[in-house]
Amino acid sequence: MKPTSPSAPAVLVVEDDEQLGAQIVAHLRDAGFDPTLLRRGRALTGDDLALVQLVVLDLMLPGVSGMDMIAQIRAAAAVPILVLSARNDSADKVRALQLGADDYMTKPFWPEELVERVRARLRRPTLAPQGAIELGRLRIDRSAREVWVDGVRVELTRVEFEFLLALAERPGAAITRRVLVDRVLDPARDGDARTLDVHASRLRKKLGVEELIETVWGIGYRLAHEGGR
């Protein structure tokens, strides 16, 4: 078993089959993720999901059903949901996607495909409403791609805007460096993980509120927000 890196993306696996759940966890861990197994369906809060980057979710669960969990997760957080279910009826797939799932795989499945779908999903921005995010002194207009602090517009580069938006979509949650690199940086133009600290430093100066973006040592960054933790 490979040791889990502190910056590995956290994946919550909800699967009631103990053997299958253990296999999924092992494959994800070998692929560089930090998986946690939950063997019953239950309501998850924003605090439960604060450090989770993606949920792999079975539908036929004891306790809260997978469909109900999709709706509850989507109400609490924008974390991506990948459904992994033996149900292969199109009505179930449509229902899961309508409730807020981001992807749907049917069992039996190839573990390699699951790993790559998880990786691909984490490379993409989480689908989110196109309206504005307002957090204390900060306002982000997704559609106009504008940022305001205390009512004053702040000019940001594309990287700085995407960096801030990634944090603001999950205020109070630690976002790993790997997730930020995959989402924010274009390696051909913006550099790699080593440049992330430079972008963060410039963003703090432009916002004029240094404490707004916190460094989470060994993990990544977090947008400070009283209601987010």
Side-chain angles (χ1 to χ4, degrees), residues 32-152:
F33 299 101
D34 179 18
T36 299
L37 178 62
L38 182 64
R39 293 189 53 211
R40 285 183 60 85
R42 68 175 178 86
L44 298 174
T45 67
D47 288 342
D48 294 325
L49 298 164
L51 296 179
V52 175
Q53 267 82 61
L54 185 139
V55 177
V56 176
L57 179 66
D58 189 14
L59 292 183
M60 294 181 286
L61 297 166
V64 178
S65 75
M67 290 292 187
D68 287 342
M69 284 194 70
I70 294 173
Q72 291 170 355
I73 292 171
R74 191 50 68 236
V79 60
I81 304 169
L82 190 161
V83 172
L84 182 62
S85 174
R87 295 184 181 177
N88 60 7
D89 190 275
S90 60
D92 288 323
K93 297 177 183 177
V94 170
R95 176 67 175 154
L97 294 171
Q98 287 177 334
L99 287 171
D102 298 274
D103 198 359
Y104 196 113
M105 286 185 68
T106 54
K107 302 172 183 175
F109 63 98
W110 291 102
E112 295 83 359
E113 181 182 355
L114 173 64
V115 167
E116 291 310 316
R117 288 208 192 196
V118 169
R119 211 188 300 279
R121 181 62 253 178
L122 290 176
R123 280 199 297 267
R124 295 196 295 271
T126 300
L127 292 177
Q130 292 301 304
I133 296 175
E134 297 196 27
L135 297 166
R137 303 165 63 182
L138 177 68
R139 183 176 192 275
I140 303 174
D141 188 325
R142 293 187 180 95
S143 299
R145 298 182 66 80
E146 292 179 347
V147 172
W148 304 73
V149 176
D150 292 335
V152 178

Side-chain angles (χ1 to χ4, degrees), residues 191-217:
D192 54 21
R194 291 171 294 184
T195 67
L196 207 55
D197 295 334
V198 176
H199 293 297
S201 177
R202 290 174 179 167
L203 181 56
R204 285 179 174 126
K205 290 179 181 176
K206 287 188 177 182
L207 294 176
V209 189
E210 295 263 338
E211 63 274 17
L212 190 60
I213 297 177
E214 300 176 346
T215 299
V216 183
W217 297 108

